[in-house]
Amino acid sequence: MDRVSNFTEKIKTSYTAKGESIYLGAGILDGEIIAGAEVNLSLKMMNRHGLIAGATGTGKTRTLQLIAEQLSDAGVPVFMLDVKGDLSGLNQAGFTNPKIEERATALNITYSPSGFPVELYSLSGKKGAQMRASVLEFGPVLLSKILGLNETQSGVMAVIFKYADDNKLQLVDLDDLKKVISYLSSGPGAAEIKESYGSISGSTSGTILRKIVTIEQQGLAQIFGEKSFDIQDMFSRVDGKGVISLLNISDVQNQPVLFSTFLLSLLAEIFYTMPEAGDIEKPKLVFFFDEAHLLFKDSQKAFLEQIETIIRLIRSKGIGVFFCTQSPMDVPDTILGQLGNRVQHALRAFTPNDVEALKKTVNTYPRSEFYEIDRVLTSLGTGQALITVLNEKGIPTEVVATHLIPPRAIMGPMSEADCDTLMQSSSLYQKYQEVIDPISAHDILTQRINEKMAADEEVKEQEIENRPSSRAEKSTFEKVINAPITRQIGTAIVRGLFGMLTGKKPRIRY
């Protein structure tokens, strides 16, 4: 058997699935595209998570798009982060051009443009349906990450949440959080928590409050509140196709910690609320975590442990998570080891750090009789990737350089007018326009403080009413009148007046 036949046979054997699968492209051997060496990703294995990595401009976004399209066709809903706003074109059928035709011909496929059902979401409410979560749903760990708190301040945040939970104080928005902090640090609650929870210093509470105000000044307070996002809305289908939910962050790109942590909060809610699914033929939802390096950068141990726990266990809920970033080194080892499917676009080795990252990446791949991994990773073209996934038995497949298929929808943003039309016609857009202001911690504590002030005032008034006023008057007037010398002087005055009237000289006894 010649080299090409051997390569084709091994790739087909390694990547052929009995159940439903996604067609990614065809293998490349010695610079030649081998159309028969089809590379497929089993839907059954997509809840084993994955990594899509590569330098800027190597085609990661289009890889996300082509996978999302085929998942939608298979009836699997998708949630994706739209960093630049250029994935909204998934809603409209694409157009053929010479480059697409050339790629289709090389892969021996027919290019069939198609649009897909899309829902647009936004953290600002300007680019899609407003996504919100209550402060309580974020929890102390994720909220501390958003606010950039150190370990001491994060510990105080945990105390605040514990107190709110113990006292049934609903934390909905940032006003609730600020009220509880003030109440426990400098208000009536300071003495109340001292024994059971410990005191909160003024400097720590002041720092946390200033960080909250910063979020408010940046116009991002609206993501905390009600109506909060219902995760069931991510599991929708239209005409048998899975809905592709896009969170547009093009207008909040300067807040990477905020949007990356918000995505993790959605994953956490899915993890804690979805029932166990067991071993299913295709995932219930695939979650693409773009710009993943922002999630892990400068993260505390507790935060990383929470991510690790979610990623390790959420697959049993039928959820697949794909991290997208520039280098595999952006993802901590404890999480990278749980990503069974890998699509690696070209890496660049321009600096010593790049060279070191390349060496580490090469060492994570199994050996191949067809490739020198380091050379392949630095020579892949746009729309090409080095792939290894899990087959239906959970065994890693052969490493293969792959010429990827072209997406079938528009590879770019839809027009502003089309976006507006899509939003206005969406029932979810109308649903999340509504803002709910329930009775929460701010209202309860305000009432509690007012009642205490009223009670204190009533006690003062009662004390004034209970004072013996007659005794107070006697202490000043009667004592003077009843004093001996005062009586004598008074008598002399009276007698003097009597003498003036009668002409008699008064007698005064001493």
Side-chain angles (χ1 to χ4, degrees):
M1 183 180 294
D2 61 27
R3 179 175 166 82
V4 173
S5 299
N6 182 35
F7 172 78
T8 303
E9 183 63 27
K10 285 198 171 184
I11 298 304
K12 289 179 67 176
T13 301
S14 191
Y15 285 90
T16 298
K18 294 180 180 179
E20 291 185 77
S21 62
I22 288 174
Y23 176 52
L24 299 176
I28 303 171
L29 181 63
D30 301 328
E32 181 183 355
I33 301 167
I34 313 299
E38 296 184 354
V39 178
N40 300 291
L41 173 55
S42 171
L43 286 180
K44 188 176 182 179
M45 289 294 109
M46 288 202 72
N47 66 340
R48 300 297 180 91
H49 312 317
L51 174 72
I52 300 174
T56 301
T58 56
K60 293 193 303 298
T61 302
R62 298 309 149 213
T63 300
L64 293 176
Q65 182 172 341
L66 70 89
I67 294 176
E69 289 176 352
Q70 294 188 62
L71 285 170
S72 178
D73 275 339
V76 178
V78 174
F79 188 92
M80 301 174 70
L81 187 68
D82 191 359
V83 179
K84 301 174 184 176
D86 58 357
L87 284 171
S88 59
L90 276 161
N91 184 246
Q92 299 173 337
F95 302 96
T96 187
N97 60 49
K99 288 186 177 180
I100 289 179
E101 290 296 336
E102 180 184 354
R103 186 170 288 265
T105 300
L107 295 170
N108 195 26
I109 61 172
T110 300
Y111 180 70
S112 302
S114 177
F116 302 86
V118 166
E119 283 287 350
L120 301 178
Y121 295 97
S122 170
L123 293 180
S124 66
K126 299 175 182 177
K127 304 287 185 177
Q130 174 72 62
M131 294 197 83
R132 300 184 195 87
S134 69
V135 170
L136 183 62
E137 287 169 335
F138 270 94
V141 175
L142 298 186
L143 195 59
S144 296
K145 172 70 174 177
I146 289 176
L147 297 175
L149 304 183
N150 60 31
E151 289 190 12
T152 300
Q153 294 156 358
S154 298
V156 170
M157 186 65 73
V159 169
I160 292 167
F161 272 75
K162 179 69 167 61
Y163 176 85
D165 183 54
D166 291 345
N167 291 271
K168 295 180 173 55
L169 298 174
Q170 189 176 3
L171 297 175
V172 175
D173 53 26
L174 294 182
D175 284 340
D176 292 324
L177 184 61
K178 290 189 296 183
K179 192 69 175 181
V180 175
I181 293 172
S182 298
Y183 181 80
L184 297 181
S185 60
S186 58
E192 178 186 345
I193 68 166
K194 188 173 183 179
E195 183 175 344
S196 300
Y197 303 89
S199 300
I200 298 175
S201 70
S203 60
T204 299
S205 63
T207 300
I208 297 174
L209 287 171
R210 285 193 295 273
K211 290 179 179 290
I212 293 173
V213 170
T214 299
I215 293 291
E216 292 174 327
Q217 289 176 335
Q218 292 167 346
L220 298 172
Q222 71 270 12
I223 74 168
F224 301 95
E226 297 282 0
K227 182 178 280 186
S228 62
F229 181 68
D230 183 356
I231 59 169
Q232 293 300 324
D233 288 335
M234 290 193 288
F235 293 83
S236 302
R237 294 178 180 82
V238 175
D239 298 332
K241 290 187 175 184
V243 172
I244 301 173
S245 299
L246 299 176
L247 175 56
N248 188 320
I249 61 160
S250 60
D251 55 345
V252 291
Q253 288 188 61
N254 61 338
Q255 295 293 327
V257 175
L258 179 65
F259 63 70
S260 61
T261 307
F262 186 87
L263 288 182
L264 185 60
S265 75
L266 294 180
L267 268 184
E269 188 176 356
I270 292 172
F271 170 67
Y272 288 116
T273 59
M274 291 292 291
E276 292 290 325
D279 193 16
I280 53 181
E281 292 302 312
K282 57 185 178 181
K284 294 182 177 181
L285 172 76
V286 176
F287 201 104
F288 289 96
F289 218 127
D290 204 358
E291 302 292 337
H293 65 283
L294 300 172
L295 182 66
F296 304 110
K297 185 179 179 182
D298 301 326
S299 294
Q300 295 179 15
K301 182 179 179 182
F303 183 77
L304 292 175
E305 287 176 349
Q306 184 166 356
I307 300 175
E308 182 183 350
T309 300
I310 291 172
I311 298 304
R312 185 175 68 252
L313 300 178
I314 202 171
R315 71 179 185 86
S316 65
K317 308 294 181 82
I319 310 299
V321 182
F322 278 67
F323 292 98
C324 310
T325 187
Q326 293 194 10
S327 169
M329 300 303 104
D330 295 333
V331 182
D333 292 343
T334 53
I335 295 171
L336 190 62
Q338 299 181 49
L339 310 182
N341 305 298
R342 296 179 61 181
V343 179
Q344 177 67 63
H345 288 267
L347 289 175
R348 308 304 182 209
F350 297 138
T351 69
N353 288 338
D354 293 340
V355 173
E356 185 65 24
L358 176 61
K359 289 180 180 179
K360 291 181 179 179
T361 301
V362 169
N363 291 334
T364 62
Y365 280 90
R367 298 180 65 86
S368 171
E369 64 178 284
F370 301 108
Y371 305 107
E372 293 182 35
I373 303 298
D374 56 345
R375 291 188 178 183
V376 172
L377 286 176
T378 55
S379 61
L380 291 168
T382 301
Q384 297 179 342
L386 191 67
I387 293 177
T388 179
V389 299
L390 297 177
N391 66 17
E392 289 179 320
K393 296 181 179 179
I395 301 171
T397 58
E398 289 275 344
V399 178
V400 56
T402 308
H403 197 65
L404 299 169
I405 65 170
R408 290 178 290 147
I410 290 177
M411 290 184 280
M414 66 170 68
S415 68
E416 291 283 343
D418 289 337
C419 274
D420 290 340
T421 300
L422 181 61
M423 285 190 294
Q424 295 301 326
S425 63
S426 168
S427 60
L428 293 180
Y429 180 79
Q430 304 302 327
K431 173 182 177 179
Y432 292 111
Q433 285 288 89
E434 182 183 2
V435 179
I436 300 175
D437 187 17
I439 296 176
S440 55
H442 184 277
D443 306 298
I444 295 172
L445 291 181
T446 298
Q447 182 179 357
R448 187 181 299 178
I449 292 170
N450 291 340
E451 288 175 351
K452 187 177 186 306
M453 291 175 63
D456 291 345
E457 188 66 26
E458 185 176 344
V459 169
K460 289 180 181 179
E461 291 177 357
Q462 191 66 39
E463 288 176 351
I464 293 173
E465 289 178 4
N466 292 337
R467 278 183 198 162
S469 57
S470 58
R471 185 178 301 173
E473 292 171 357
K474 287 179 180 180
S475 65
T476 57
F477 178 73
E478 292 183 359
K479 286 182 180 179
V480 173
I481 295 300
N482 294 327
I485 185 65
T486 304
R487 289 199 301 270
Q488 293 176 16
I489 294 171
T491 301
I493 292 172
V494 170
R495 287 177 177 175
L497 291 173
F498 178 79
M500 292 173 63
L501 294 173
T502 60
K504 295 182 179 181
K505 184 177 180 181
R507 290 183 297 170
I508 300 176
R509 295 180 180 179
Y510 293 98

